[in-house]
Each structure stands twice: as structure tokens, then as C-alpha cells.
Amino acid sequence: MVDVWWGIIESKGPKQYDWTAYKTLFQLIARLGLKIQAIMSFHQCGGNVGDIVTIPIPQWVRDVGDNDPDIYYTNRKGTRDIEYLSIGVDNLPLFAGRTAVQLYSDYMSSFKENMADLIEVGAIVDIEVGLGPAGELRYPSYPQSQGWVFPGIGEFQCYDKYLKKDFKEAAAKAGHPEWDLPEDAGEYNDKPEDTGFFKRNGTYVSEEGKFFLTWYSNKLIFHGDQIIGEANKIFAGLKVNLAAKVSGIHWLYNHHSHAAELTAGYYNLFKRDGYRPIARMLSKHYGILNFTCLEMKDTDNTAEALSAPQELVQEVLSKAWKEGIEVAGENALETYGAKGYNQILLNARPNGVNPNGKPKLRMYGFTYLRLSDTVFQEDNFELFKKLVRKMHADQDYCGDAAKYGHEIVPLKTPNSQLTVEDIADAAQPSGAFKWDSETDMKVDG
């Protein structure tokens, strides 16, 4: 898996793409007989967990932001987040006559043209489309660069002038011109109960709160739908998978408000499903849902974090499978031990290996985060090799992808348009599949 950074490729100016370095890298990978998952990374590298380099979005785009800082996501205090362009400018021609969506679409078209030979021979198998900060379909609600620390609630990021205007128009259309964006949702590191919005029976359960949360989350889903739709148009007919990444907001999952999920744009509550609507959106484009925090256990964090990564993973994977789409995933933090590996293996096959064929529940693929010197230290590497072998259920290498359900077929065009009714229908609670208590393929078993 490789980030294909917008800030490197189109750094010289509008439509001045330079693919040289990536072509060299991808040709090397192909010569080694490996496959490539290419991430269309329209976000900044730097400011998130694990970022050790800084690659901002292109300077000529940031020049637009110098004159109009509302192109960036903005919190209630007016602080801008320059990692990724606001959804509010998706369809506004502010970038030398192009909209943000056109910037992303033109970039992906250029990628396809320049990597056609590698796609043709099957070296590039996945196109993961970046849809927000850290490449994830979410708002930048918990930026470390602005002082957020785990397990803070985060902040809503919709106070740029473009999203403000959009919300006021939506409220007026709904017959409530007096409704406004939240003023009582606290700050990054607050606890839910300390805010008017997230406390028990707080604003989030009022009619105004529900309207806002529906608007905020729907904007995100339709943003994903539009850009994945562009990717589908570009890559349709080619033998590649399309994927999008969803963030694993596992903290405060056990709080009645799910505050950290709500600020990130996932309208997920006990009686409202925040993830199945995203899966339904992806199903329209034959996309794969890529999730994270697969290595985590509920006991990994302190009790005050109200963290439940195991339940969250079960919920998200179940909802994607119920929508008939494939699920891939990765670990959230670097992991080298048996405990994390066994949890990954459990999530990869929640009910274990099926001796008579394909398991009923199984993930499509797993991306290991990340290649480093630590992996190759002797004991670590031996255990890593066991993880790979157990991921393949102790089976020997098979070069025929069709035999294990991984033959890549030409990407189909969308089967129907996503509607607000689709989202509302998918948001009805539907429960999760049952997981075994532990994997039947332990690395230390």
C-alpha cells in the first residue's frame, strides 16, 4: 500500500503532474512480483498519529486559501484545519476555474493514463480514494496539531462560510430558519457530560440536534459518493478494486452520545446506525470498505476512555457484509506481538476457518501497518511470518487468485443513485453478527 501524494504530484501548478518518482517505485514493486494498493492521497501528511514527514497539499491550492481561508474545515472558534479542503467547496470553481471535485477527478484521470501499463498487467490492484484527513471519510474533528488529546470528544468542523450557508439554507428549507450550527458542543478535550450538546438528554437528542447531525453526516456521505463516483467513471472496465477508508473512532463508543463519532461525522447511536449508510453508498459503486483498529481490544485503554474497539469493529464489518460489500482493514497503531496479531486474525475470520470452503464471514484483505526496522528484528519477524501464514489458514501459496475468491473482475458502473431515503433506510438499527471469543488460528497457539 502506497500513498500517492497530491502534494508531490501536482506541486508545480494546476494540471502539471509529475509521476516520475511513482512510476519508478511502482515498476520496481511490479518487478518483484508484488501487487500495489495505490491511495489517492488528497490530504496533508503531517499532524496525525504516525506521521513522520510533512507533505502539505499543493502550494498553489494553499495560495487560494491565503485569500479565502474558508476553503478549509473550520471549528466554532474559527481555527482552520489545512489538512484537506472543506466539503463546502466540493462544487465551487475556486481553484483556477476548477471545483475541488474536479481537482480530484483530473488527478485520478492522469494517474490512470500514466499507470495504464501497470494496471493492464495486474500490478496495481486497488485504488483507495482519499476522502478526508488521513485519507479517511471523516471530518478533521480530532487534530493533534490543534491540541486534541485522546480521549477528547473533538469538535464539529463545519463553521467555514460555505458550510454555514449550506446549513442555513437546509434549515430554512425544513421550515426552521431560526436553527443554527451548535454553540454548546464544547471543545476538543472536553468530556461529553460537560457539554450541553452531548450530556444526557442534551441537544443531540432534540429536533434541532437531530436535524444538524443528519445534515452533517449526510454531507459527508454524499461527499464520498460524489468522489467515489468520479473514480468509478475513470476506472470502470479496468481490473481494479475501488476502496474507501473509514476511521475507527473507538473512544467514547460506550458513552450514550458517541460524541467522538458524532464530531467526526459518523451519526452512530444505540438506535441509529452510522456505518451501514456508508456501506450502502460504497455498494452503489462496487467499493470495498477499509476499516482500522483491527488489532485493538477493549482492555487496551483506560476505563475513562469508554473505548470499545472490539464492538466497533464487529458493528462496522457486520454492516458492510449486510450491504453485500467486501471489507478490508488494517491495524491502527504499530503492533508486533501475539495479542494484537490474534485479534487481527479473529477479525479476519470472525467464526474461524471453514474446512469445506470459504468461511461465511471473512475479510477481503488486511494491510499491515507498517514496514519498519522493528518488524525485521529477529523475534518480531518470526512472529510476523506466523501472522502471514495463519492469515492464509496454514495453506501453502496459491498463485491462482480465482481459487480463493480474489480474482479481480472489471469494475462495474454504478447500479443506482444514492438518495437521502437510502441513507435513512440504512440508518435503521440492525444488529451485528456474532464473533467467536478467540481465533482458531493463533500465532502462539
Side-chain angles (χ1 to χ4, degrees), residues 270-348:
F270 179 61
K271 291 190 173 174
R272 191 193 190 278
D273 194 321
Y275 299 102
R276 193 163 179 173
I278 296 170
R280 183 158 305 177
M281 177 271 286
L282 286 170
S283 75
K284 303 279 185 187
H285 305 287
Y286 302 96
I288 294 172
L289 190 151
N290 187 19
F291 199 57
T292 181
C293 70
L294 295 183
E295 84 286 13
M296 290 187 174
K297 290 181 80 81
D298 293 353
T299 50
D300 289 352
N301 293 294
T302 59
E304 69 155 1
L306 296 173
S307 167
Q310 289 170 253
E311 288 76 6
L312 176 62
V313 168
Q314 288 176 30
E315 179 182 1
V316 176
L317 271 54
S318 294
K319 301 315 164 56
W321 286 327
K322 286 182 177 189
E323 286 297 317
I325 66 171
E326 298 280 12
V327 185
E330 54 196 59
N331 47 307
L333 305 173
E334 291 184 23
T335 188
Y336 309 102
K339 184 177 137 189
Y341 287 168
N342 288 338
Q343 188 61 28
I344 289 164
L345 287 160
L346 173 60
N347 288 322

Side-chain angles (χ1 to χ4, degrees), residues 17 19 23 106-117 119 234-235:
Y17 306 107
W19 297 102
K23 283 219 82 160
D106 290 345
Y107 180 88
M108 291 188 285
S109 293
S110 180
F111 176 87
K112 182 186 84 167
E113 287 158 21
N114 284 273
M115 303 295 174
D117 52 338
I119 295 171
I234 292 160
F235 295 104

Side-chain angles (χ1 to χ4, degrees), residues 87-162:
I87 291 174
V89 299
D90 273 359
N91 297 299
L92 298 176
L94 304 174
F95 307 96
R98 289 188 292 166
T99 67
V101 170
Q102 285 169 332
L103 299 182
Y104 310 141
S105 180
D106 290 345
Y107 180 88
M108 291 188 285
S109 293
S110 180
F111 176 87
K112 182 186 84 167
E113 287 158 21
N114 284 273
M115 303 295 174
D117 52 338
L118 289 158
I119 295 171
E120 186 69 30
V121 298
I124 296 174
V125 291
D126 283 359
I127 308 291
E128 183 177 299
V129 183
L131 298 169
E136 297 169 332
L137 178 63
R138 64 171 174 88
Y139 293 91
S141 55
Y142 51 100
Q144 290 183 316
S145 58
Q146 293 182 32
W148 174 86
V149 291
F150 179 86
I153 58 174
E155 292 186 31
F156 293 118
Q157 302 286 331
C158 52
Y159 296 83
D160 62 81
K161 69 183 181 188
Y162 300 111

